[in-house]
């Protein structure tokens, strides 16, 4: 190992070093104080948001939606807005636009960015089951595909009500993921700036 070579460490590695280093040194004290404060701020920011689970759920939802679109196309669906809204009508008793208005979500925003982990899971199930159902349709047509999407949505609506006690449109929305991502990026930038400003004290 070449001790004279510069090494670039990740922020997490710096955090671990600060925790294990000699706390009597000023630079270590400063580093520990900052890292612990920063971690607490991030913890407060993400508290109750299930950030990572929601991020994974949202990406899975996007992937499954692409598969559903392909299955719907094979089932002779041409009006995809109509087909999609039938699924939402079954599950939420409202169209996508109506759901956003009801829950105070900006029209241009993606509804999945505001969904809780449980709501994302319910929609993942809706899309997965609809995709599989479309594969088995005999003499498929746009009307048949839309009707099946509505039926599966309605079944999941009843399931959510039974298990959670609320209908899907009544579930509390979360802080949108894009906003959380933006705040985390700012926290990261502040963290980098603070690390650079810490006075270096050579080891004795």
């Amino acid at each position: 190992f070449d001790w004279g070579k510069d090494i670039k460490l990740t922020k997490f590695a710096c955090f671990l070093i600060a925790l294990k280093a000699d706390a009597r040194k000023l630079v270590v004290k400063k580093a520990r104080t900052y890292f612990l404060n920063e971690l607490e701020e991030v913890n407060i920011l993400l508290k109750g948001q299930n950030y990572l689970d929601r991020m994974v759920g949202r990406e899975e939802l996007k992937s499954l939606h692409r598969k559903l679109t392909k299955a719907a196309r094979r089932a002779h669906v041409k009006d995809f807005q109509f087909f999609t809204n039938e699924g939402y009508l079954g599950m939420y008793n409202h169209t996508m636009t109506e759901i956003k208005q009801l829950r105070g979500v900006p029209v241009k925003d993606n509804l999945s960015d505001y969904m809780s982990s449980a709501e994302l899971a319910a929609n993942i199930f809706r899309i997965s089951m609809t995709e599989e159902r479309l594969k088995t349709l005999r003499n498929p047509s746009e009307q048949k595909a839309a009707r099946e999407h509505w039926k599966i949505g309605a079944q999941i609506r009843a399931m959510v009500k039974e298990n959670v006690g609320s209908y899907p449109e009544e579930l509390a929305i979360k802080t949108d993921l894009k906003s959380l991502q933006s705040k985390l990026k700012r926290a990261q930038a502040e963290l980098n700036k603070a690390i650079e400003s810490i006075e270096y004290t050579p080891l004795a």
Side-chain angles (χ1 to χ4, degrees):
F1 181 80
D2 184 2
W3 289 100
K5 186 178 179 180
D6 290 335
I7 300 173
K8 185 175 181 180
L9 300 173
T10 65
K11 289 183 289 296
F12 185 66
C14 292
F15 172 61
L16 291 179
I17 291 172
L19 287 182
K20 297 294 183 181
D22 186 349
R24 294 171 297 178
K25 296 186 179 296
L26 178 61
V27 66
V28 174
K29 289 181 179 179
K30 287 183 177 181
R32 282 189 182 184
T33 299
Y34 183 81
F35 277 121
L36 292 175
N37 288 340
E38 185 63 26
L39 287 175
E40 180 61 21
E41 289 175 10
V42 171
N43 182 55
I44 292 172
L45 174 65
L46 298 180
K47 187 176 182 180
Q49 294 296 330
N50 293 326
Y51 176 73
L52 293 178
D53 288 343
R54 290 172 60 205
M55 285 291 292
V56 171
R58 186 189 66 174
E59 294 309 307
E60 185 175 358
L61 195 64
K62 286 181 180 179
S63 176
L64 289 172
H65 194 271
R66 287 193 290 269
K67 293 181 180 179
L68 178 60
T69 299
K70 292 180 180 179
R73 187 175 290 115
R74 289 193 295 268
H76 308 301
V77 170
K78 294 182 180 179
D79 188 343
F80 288 96
Q81 183 174 357
F82 165 69
F83 171 75
T84 299
N85 270 328
E86 285 301 296
Y88 277 104
L89 282 167
M91 182 169 170
Y92 291 90
N93 205 28
H94 295 281
T95 65
M96 168 74 80
T97 301
E98 290 170 346
I99 297 167
K100 288 182 177 180
Q101 291 174 344
L102 180 68
R103 304 171 85 181
V105 175
V107 177
K108 293 183 179 180
D109 284 7
N110 193 324
L111 183 61
S112 63
D113 285 341
Y114 294 81
M115 291 181 182
S116 64
S117 297
E119 189 175 354
L120 283 165
N123 277 282
I124 287 170
F125 190 45
R126 170 181 60 82
I127 291 177
S128 299
M129 293 299 97
T130 303
E131 181 198 359
E132 291 301 316
R133 182 70 185 96
L134 294 185
K135 293 176 181 178
T136 64
L137 277 183
R138 293 183 179 180
N139 302 317
S141 68
E142 184 170 80
Q143 288 297 328
K144 282 185 177 181
R147 184 168 63 250
E148 292 303 318
H149 197 184
W150 181 91
K151 286 168 59 178
I152 290 172
Q155 290 169 355
I156 294 174
R157 175 180 177 81
M159 183 175 65
V160 171
K161 174 64 173 177
E162 180 181 355
N163 288 278
V164 181
S166 302
Y167 287 114
E169 68 274 14
E170 297 170 343
L171 297 175
I173 62 172
K174 297 290 187 177
T175 302
D176 69 291
L177 288 171
K178 287 184 179 180
S179 176
L180 287 175
Q181 286 175 306
S182 178
K183 290 177 181 179
L184 285 172
K185 285 182 180 179
R186 286 199 297 271
Q188 181 179 359
E190 292 173 4
L191 175 61
N192 288 335
K193 187 184 298 183
I195 291 174
E196 292 173 359
S197 68
I198 292 176
E199 181 182 352
Y200 173 67
T201 302
L203 295 176

